[in-house]
Amino acid sequence: MVEEFKVGVIGAGYVGLVTGACLAQIGHRVTCVDRDEDRVAQLSAGRVPIYEPGLEEMVVRNARRGTLFFTGPGGLREVVRAADVVFIAVDTPQGEDGSADLSNVAAVAKSIGSVLAAAPREKPLLIVNKSTVPVGSGDYVSMLVCDGIDEAGGAGEPAEFRVVSNPEFLREGNALYDSLFPDRIVLGADSREALEAMRSLYDPIIAQSFPTDLDPRPKVSVPLVVTDLASAEMIKYAANAFLATKISFINEVSNLCELVGADVANVAAGIGLDERIGPRFLGAGVGWGGSCFPKDVAALRSVAREYDYEPVLLDATVAVNERQRRRVISKLQHDLHTLKGKRIALLGLAFKPNTDDLREAPSLRIAGELDSLGARVVGYDPVAGKAAARLSPGLRVVFDPYEALAGAHAAVVVTEWEEVRNLDLERAASLMDDPGLLVDGRNTLDPDAVRAAGLLYRGFGR
C-alpha cells in the first residue's frame, strides 16, 4: 500500500502543475498554490491553461477523486502547515547577464519560514527545489527560510525543515510520460532522513507499482540517483547543456555535409548506432529553443564566469545555434534573391510539436528577420498561433496550413507538427507561386516526394 504524503506544490505553472498532477496520480494528497487567482480559478474548474497532451484529463480525474486541490496565495499558510513535503516550482527567469533570477524562489522560501515560525512542527518539513536553480541554491533557500523564521519572531531552529534538490527532466509534449516513467530520479540532500522520506514519496514510481493504462508497462524499475545538493543541481544543468551541445554538433556536421556533398541524415544514422553516442538529439535543422535549453545553458555559462572560467564549448554551442536561424534566411535568399515583397509561409510556430510554448522559438526569430528584410510573413500553427501573433507584430497568423501556403513564394518547415509532416505536397505546390520553394528546417519531409510534387527542396545537410 502506498504511504500517503500531504504535498504542497508552490507554483502551478508547467513544472508545478505536472508535478502535482502526477504525485496525485500515484496516491498522494496534493495542493497546488499559485499567486495568479485567475489560473487557480481555471484549474479548480478543470480547465488547464497550458497545452500538454493528457494533462487536463489527469488534473480533472484526480480533482474528482479528492487527491488534487488548488488554492491562491491566501492558502499558502494552511498548505505549508499541513504538508509533509513542499515543492518550490516557481519560475526562475533568465536575467540580462544570463544568470537565473531567484527572486521568486527567495520570496517563497521566506514565506515558508514565516509559517514555520508561527507553527512549530512535530517533524521537519521537507522543502524541495523543483525549480531549475543554480548550484548553491539549496544553501540559499535554507538561509532564506531561516530569515523568514527570524523576521516572523520565531526561534529560527533549522531542525524544523530540510532542503532537498529534486530537478525535473521533462520534455514538453511528453511531460506526463517523463514524470511517471522517468529515465532516473535525482535527489540531493545533506540529510539521510530527508532522502529516505523522498524515496518513500517516489516509491510507486521507483518500483513502477502504481496503476497505469499503459500496457505493457514501459519500465520495470526507475534508477534513483542520491547525491549531495550541489551535485544534484549541477546534474540538471549538465544534462540540458549536453543535449543542446549534441544538437549544435550535428548542425555543425550538417553544414559540412552540404559543402562536401554528404547527407547528414545518413551520417546521423551511422554515428547514432554507436552506443557511446546514441541516436537521439541528432536531428539537424534550425536548432534548439524552448524554455529550458537556452536558459539553462546561459545560466551555466554565467556560473562559469563567476569563477573566471571561460566555457568555450558552451559558447560555441550557442554560436552554432544562432547561426542555424540565419541559415534559413540564407537559403531563402539563395533561391529567391531579394525577399522584399515575397510571401513566406512559416509552417509551425511553437518551439517543438505538442506544446504551445513559444519561449525562444526559432519561428519568432526567423519571422522578425524576414519582416526586417521586407518579406510578407504568414505563419501556421495548430496550437500556438494566437500567442505568436501577439509576440510577433509583423507575423500574420492563419489556422490552416494551406491558407498559409496560398500565393507563397516559399515555405519554411519550422515545427514538425503531424499536420506539417503529412502535408498534401501536390496541393501545396498548386497553391504556391511557381516554382514554390520549400525549406525543410527539420529535415522531416521526403526530398524526392517534395520534388516530385513540383517544389524546390532545400534541407539542412542534405
Side-chain angles (χ1 to χ4, degrees), residues 244-261:
T245 301
K246 192 173 181 181
I247 296 170
S248 285
F249 172 81
I250 200 64
N251 277 328
E252 190 82 294
V253 170
S254 79
N255 296 334
L256 292 173
C257 284
E258 290 186 17
L259 295 174
V260 303

Side-chain angles (χ1 to χ4, degrees), residues 80 108-118 127 144-150 152 160:
V80 172
V108 170
K110 292 188 74 172
S111 296
I112 292 173
S114 68
V115 177
L116 292 177
I127 303 172
L144 289 165
V145 173
C146 288
D147 287 348
I149 293 172
D150 291 340
E160 292 184 337

Side-chain angles (χ1 to χ4, degrees), residues 73 107 134 177 228 330-331 344 381 423:
Y177 185 94
D228 57 276
S330 299
K331 289 176 183 292
I344 312 295
D381 192 284
L423 274 178

Side-chain angles (χ1 to χ4, degrees), residues 21-247:
C22 289
L23 288 174
Q25 179 69 24
I26 64 172
H28 301 303
R29 183 180 177 87
V30 182
T31 303
C32 295
V33 183
D34 200 275
R35 63 186 179 185
D36 186 336
E37 297 281 10
D38 289 339
R39 177 183 288 263
V40 170
Q42 287 186 63
L43 291 169
S44 298
R47 298 191 303 274
V48 173
I50 57 176
Y51 182 83
E52 177 64 34
L55 180 57
E56 185 163 286
E57 292 87 343
M58 184 178 286
V59 167
V60 171
R61 180 168 62 249
N62 286 289
R64 285 176 176 169
R65 72 175 188 166
T67 58
L68 183 60
F69 307 88
F70 301 97
T71 185
L76 175 66
R77 178 173 297 275
E78 182 180 345
V79 169
V80 172
R81 289 181 65 175
D84 302 304
V85 184
V86 170
F87 285 82
I88 300 178
V90 294
D91 191 19
T92 54
Q94 182 178 323
E96 292 184 4
D97 62 352
S99 63
D101 180 351
L102 297 181
S103 58
N104 292 329
V105 172
V108 170
K110 292 188 74 172
S111 296
I112 292 173
S114 68
V115 177
L116 292 177
R121 301 174 59 86
E122 293 182 4
K123 60 181 181 179
L125 174 68
L126 298 186
I127 303 172
V128 184
N129 273 338
K130 199 69 174 176
S131 300
T132 299
V133 292
V135 177
S137 295
D139 294 334
Y140 179 63
V141 167
S142 292
M143 179 190 73
L144 289 165
V145 173
C146 288
D147 287 348
I149 293 172
D150 291 340
E151 291 173 12
E157 290 291 339
E160 292 184 337
F161 68 93
R162 301 286 187 269
V163 175
V164 179
S165 175
N166 175 215
E168 54 83 14
F169 301 95
L170 306 181
R171 296 169 298 161
E172 293 190 43
N174 298 90
L176 299 185
Y177 185 94
D178 291 344
S179 294
L180 296 173
F181 310 104
D183 293 329
R184 74 290 200 196
I185 294 173
V186 175
L187 300 174
D190 299 326
S191 162
R192 183 181 298 275
E193 177 189 17
L195 291 170
E196 287 303 317
M198 291 297 295
R199 187 193 300 266
S200 296
L201 177 82
Y202 280 121
D203 184 68
I205 293 177
I206 295 169
Q208 290 290 285
S209 60
F210 60 91
T212 178
D213 295 334
L214 294 178
D215 188 25
R217 187 181 294 270
K219 295 181 185 296
V220 175
S221 63
V222 172
L224 179 66
V225 179
V226 176
T227 184
D228 57 276
L229 277 166
S231 297
E233 291 162 347
M234 181 58 85
I235 286 169
K236 167 65 176 179
Y237 280 114
N240 277 350
F242 179 81
L243 295 175
T245 301
K246 192 173 181 181
I247 296 170

Side-chain angles (χ1 to χ4, degrees), residues 156-454:
E157 290 291 339
E160 292 184 337
F161 68 93
R162 301 286 187 269
V163 175
V164 179
S165 175
N166 175 215
E168 54 83 14
F169 301 95
L170 306 181
R171 296 169 298 161
E172 293 190 43
N174 298 90
L176 299 185
Y177 185 94
D178 291 344
S179 294
L180 296 173
F181 310 104
D183 293 329
R184 74 290 200 196
I185 294 173
V186 175
L187 300 174
D190 299 326
S191 162
R192 183 181 298 275
E193 177 189 17
L195 291 170
E196 287 303 317
M198 291 297 295
R199 187 193 300 266
S200 296
L201 177 82
Y202 280 121
D203 184 68
I205 293 177
I206 295 169
Q208 290 290 285
S209 60
F210 60 91
T212 178
D213 295 334
L214 294 178
D215 188 25
R217 187 181 294 270
K219 295 181 185 296
V220 175
S221 63
V222 172
L224 179 66
V225 179
V226 176
T227 184
D228 57 276
L229 277 166
S231 297
E233 291 162 347
M234 181 58 85
I235 286 169
K236 167 65 176 179
Y237 280 114
N240 277 350
F242 179 81
L243 295 175
T245 301
K246 192 173 181 181
I247 296 170
S248 285
F249 172 81
I250 200 64
N251 277 328
E252 190 82 294
V253 170
S254 79
N255 296 334
L256 292 173
C257 284
E258 290 186 17
L259 295 174
V260 303
D263 187 326
V264 73
N266 294 332
V267 173
I271 67 174
L273 291 171
D274 189 323
E275 291 183 354
R276 297 168 300 174
I277 298 172
R280 298 173 66 187
F281 290 86
L282 288 178
V286 297
W288 41 268
S291 62
C292 293
F293 286 5
K295 183 166 70 76
D296 292 356
V297 173
L300 196 54
R301 294 167 75 200
S302 176
V303 168
R305 292 185 175 116
E306 284 182 19
Y307 293 88
D308 197 29
Y309 180 82
E310 290 300 317
V312 177
L313 181 59
L314 296 181
D315 292 345
T317 293
V318 173
V320 170
N321 198 56
E322 290 294 320
R323 186 171 60 191
Q324 292 306 108
R325 314 287 204 264
R326 295 194 294 271
R327 285 186 62 78
V328 172
I329 307 300
S330 299
K331 289 176 183 292
L332 291 169
Q333 289 173 325
H334 179 271
D335 287 293
L336 299 181
H337 307 296
T338 181
L339 299 181
K340 289 183 174 61
K342 300 292 174 66
R343 179 181 168 100
I344 312 295
L346 302 184
L347 302 180
L349 301 171
F351 90 93
K352 63 179 290 188
N354 295 323
T355 179
D356 57 356
D357 198 340
L358 287 158
R359 287 174 288 184
E360 298 293 331
S363 63
L364 300 183
R365 179 72 62 85
I366 294 167
E369 294 252 356
L370 290 171
D371 183 56
S372 70
L373 292 170
R376 295 179 293 123
V377 191
V378 58
Y380 159 76
D381 192 284
V383 172
K386 291 182 179 179
R390 292 193 297 269
L391 293 172
S392 183
L395 175 66
R396 179 184 165 225
V397 172
V398 297
F399 299 93
D400 182 313
Y402 300 103
E403 184 179 351
L405 291 167
H409 297 84
V412 182
V413 174
V414 185
T415 313
E416 62 277 35
W417 286 97
E418 183 179 355
E419 294 88 339
V420 175
R421 294 196 309 268
N422 295 326
L423 274 178
D424 181 332
L425 295 173
E426 291 188 357
R427 181 181 176 189
S430 70
L431 291 169
M432 295 177 69
D433 188 76
D434 189 30
L437 168 65
L438 196 151
V439 176
D440 190 354
R442 298 296 182 183
N443 284 356
T444 194
L445 300 177
D446 179 351
D448 291 336
V450 173
R451 295 186 183 107

